């Protein structure tokens, strides 16, 4: 399941029919945003919701040469604690000259603490940018085909899984007019918060849209030993959801001793059910590290969280 490090994807042939066909328009603009990655809208397959992640500048070798890499993500909200989803799949890029997809077979074991597969290097970035086969009118077409899914549970019960039709999605990245905003949430009563309930920050505005940070201070049921942290869009903001805008989000927690932040970040196409599930991490930070006073994340009962948002485009279904 590890990364092979190969520089050229193998032809998968015309028989390869992706479950998600993802057209990334203005690929060079995605590079200009300096987003670490971009994430597709969720699609259904074998009874689960998945996303395809593209990392435009994944480090491929010891020399640091970047490559375009793909990985598969399963939505953690679909998983039951203790269940492991064993998936076999193909990650691919379309070769317009040959009229076929090229890529690799892969497999991964997904669970609530491990939602992303290993990144597969498809093609060196510089090779892609010079290519007339994989990059046409500054557009790349990526795909993922899920071949097989087996699910194991603590009681070893079989789980029925069903496949669905191919989903087609388009990602359009705007080169200009990026909107950025930052919000800092300082809590002086962190240790007094209800351990069983989620907590929301005051609502703040970025790009004309309302957001808030949500967290489970003692961990979500899916990951009870970690701080759960997510960013939420106001549920009444239907216009944002319809626009399919693309955002880069960073969530951080301050080490109050060093003045440095521990951060987690990525780029993403905003999913349609965003206001239901939020966007973040069940396992943002282990609780043992959070409560280790020598690390500075908690000073007495004070905790400081920060959200950085960049809105730079839109994604529309084709």
């Amino acid at each position: 399941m590890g990364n092979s490090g190969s520089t050229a994807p193998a032809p998968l042939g015309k028989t390869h029919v992706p479950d998600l066909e993802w057209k990334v328009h203005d690929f060079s603009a995605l590079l200009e945003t300096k987003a670490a990655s971009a994430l597709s809208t969720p699609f259904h397959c074998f009874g689960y919701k998945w996303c395809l992640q593209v990392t435009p500048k994944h480090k491929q070798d010891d020399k640091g040469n970047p490559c375009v890499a793909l990985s598969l993500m399963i939505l953690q909200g679909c998983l039951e604690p203790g269940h492991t989803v064993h998936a076999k799949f193909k990650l691919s890029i379309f070769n317009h000259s040959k009229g076929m997809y090229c890529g690799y077979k892969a497999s991964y074991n997904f669970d609530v603490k491990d939602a992303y597969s290993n990144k597969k290097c498809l093609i060196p970035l510089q090779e892609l940018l010079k290519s007339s086969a994989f990059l046409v009118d500054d557009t790349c077409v990526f795909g993922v085909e899920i071949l097989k899914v087996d699910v194991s549970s603590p009681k070893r019960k079989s789980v029925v899984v069903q496949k669905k039709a191919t989903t087609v999605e388009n990602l359009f990245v705007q080169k200009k007019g990026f909107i950025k905003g930052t919000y800092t949430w300082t809590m002086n009563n962190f240790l007094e918060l209800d351990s069983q309930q989620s907590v929301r920050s005051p609502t703040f505005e970025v790009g004309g849209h309302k957001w808030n940070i949500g967290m489970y201070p003692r961990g979500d049921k899916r990951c009870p030993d970690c701080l759960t942290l997510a960013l939420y869009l106001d549920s009444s903001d239907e216009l944002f959801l319809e626009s399919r805008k693309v955002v880069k989000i960073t969530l951080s927690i301050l080490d109050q001793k060093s003045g440095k932040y521990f951060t987690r970040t990525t780029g993403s196409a905003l999913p349609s059910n965003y206001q239901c599930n939020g966007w973040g991490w069940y396992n943002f930070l282990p609780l043992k590290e959070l409560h280790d006073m020598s690390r500075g994340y908690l000073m007495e009962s004070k905790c400081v969280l920060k959200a950085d948002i960049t809105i730079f485009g839109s994604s529309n279904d084709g």
Side-chain angles (χ1 to χ4, degrees):
M1 291 187 292
N3 219 347
S4 65
S6 175
T7 60
L12 297 176
K14 294 183 180 180
T15 56
H16 171 59
V17 179
D19 296 304
L20 172 69
E21 179 184 284
W22 191 24
K23 299 177 182 179
V24 179
H25 301 260
D26 298 319
F27 185 81
S28 60
L30 182 61
L31 298 175
E32 291 176 20
T33 66
K34 297 182 180 181
S37 62
L39 203 64
S40 75
T41 302
F43 65 98
H44 291 79
C45 192
F46 282 115
Y48 292 91
K49 289 183 179 180
W50 312 81
C51 294
L52 186 59
Q53 182 190 56
V54 58
T55 303
K57 290 185 177 181
H58 179 62
K59 181 180 178 182
Q60 182 183 12
D61 53 32
D62 294 336
K63 296 180 180 179
N65 296 321
C67 75
V68 179
L70 290 183
S71 56
L72 183 64
M73 171 195 167
I74 190 169
L75 264 65
Q76 294 167 306
C78 302
L79 295 172
E80 293 293 332
H83 285 218
T84 300
V85 176
H86 316 277
K88 293 183 179 180
F89 49 93
K90 293 179 180 178
L91 299 171
S92 59
I93 183 172
F94 190 69
N95 185 320
H96 293 270
S97 297
K98 296 183 178 180
M100 64 174 61
Y101 281 91
C102 300
Y104 301 103
K105 281 187 178 181
S107 61
Y108 203 76
N109 296 330
F110 299 90
D111 58 39
V112 293
K113 294 185 179 181
D114 195 2
Y116 287 87
S117 71
N118 295 326
K119 293 181 175 65
K120 275 286 185 181
C121 295
L122 285 184
I123 187 171
L125 177 60
Q126 291 306 314
E127 183 178 330
L128 175 69
L129 295 177
K130 296 176 182 178
S131 169
S132 60
F134 296 103
L135 188 66
V136 177
D137 295 328
D138 203 18
T139 297
C140 293
V141 181
F142 300 105
V144 56
E145 179 184 4
I146 301 178
L147 304 172
K148 184 180 180 181
V149 169
D150 296 309
V151 184
S152 61
S153 66
K155 297 182 179 179
R156 297 179 179 271
K157 290 183 178 179
S158 60
V159 179
V160 178
V161 290
Q162 297 178 341
K163 203 164 186 179
K164 295 203 173 185
T166 299
T167 299
V168 178
E169 184 192 353
N170 290 277
L171 173 65
F172 298 91
V173 184
Q174 296 175 350
K175 295 184 179 181
K176 297 181 179 180
F178 302 161
I179 300 172
K180 295 185 178 181
T182 297
Y183 174 75
T184 301
W185 182 21
T186 301
M187 291 164 283
N188 294 309
N189 62 336
F190 183 88
L191 295 176
E192 300 171 15
L193 299 176
D194 191 325
S195 62
Q196 304 301 319
Q197 300 294 325
S198 63
V199 181
R200 296 287 184 99
S201 72
T203 299
F204 60 95
E205 187 172 306
V206 173
H209 304 283
K210 295 180 179 179
W211 312 79
N212 60 68
I213 301 171
M215 73 170 176
Y216 281 89
R218 306 296 185 271
D220 179 84
K221 64 179 182 180
R222 299 178 181 87
C223 199
D225 57 351
C226 291
L227 174 69
T228 297
L229 205 59
L231 186 70
Y232 292 86
L233 181 70
D234 190 284
S235 59
S236 64
D237 199 340
E238 296 180 359
L239 180 61
F240 192 102
L241 297 172
E242 292 172 359
S243 72
R244 315 295 298 149
K245 290 183 179 178
V246 179
V247 297
K248 177 182 176 182
I249 295 171
T250 298
L251 295 178
S252 311
I253 185 169
L254 177 65
D255 178 342
Q256 299 171 63
K257 289 187 175 180
S258 68
K260 298 179 179 180
Y261 282 93
F262 169 77
T263 66
R264 301 188 73 166
T265 185
T266 188
S268 173
L270 196 64
S272 60
N273 59 351
Y274 191 96
Q275 76 271 38
C276 298
N277 293 334
W279 191 93
W281 296 267
Y282 290 112
N283 58 343
F284 182 83
L285 182 71
L287 290 178
K288 64 179 181 180
E289 294 185 21
L290 174 65
H291 290 274
D292 183 349
M293 295 300 176
S294 67
R295 291 183 176 266
Y297 297 127
L298 275 177
M299 296 293 288
E300 295 182 351
S301 193
K302 182 180 179 181
C303 181
V304 181
L305 302 176
K306 183 163 70 79
D308 293 280
I309 304 171
T310 303
I311 303 171
F312 58 87
S314 63
S315 172
N316 299 302
D317 294 336

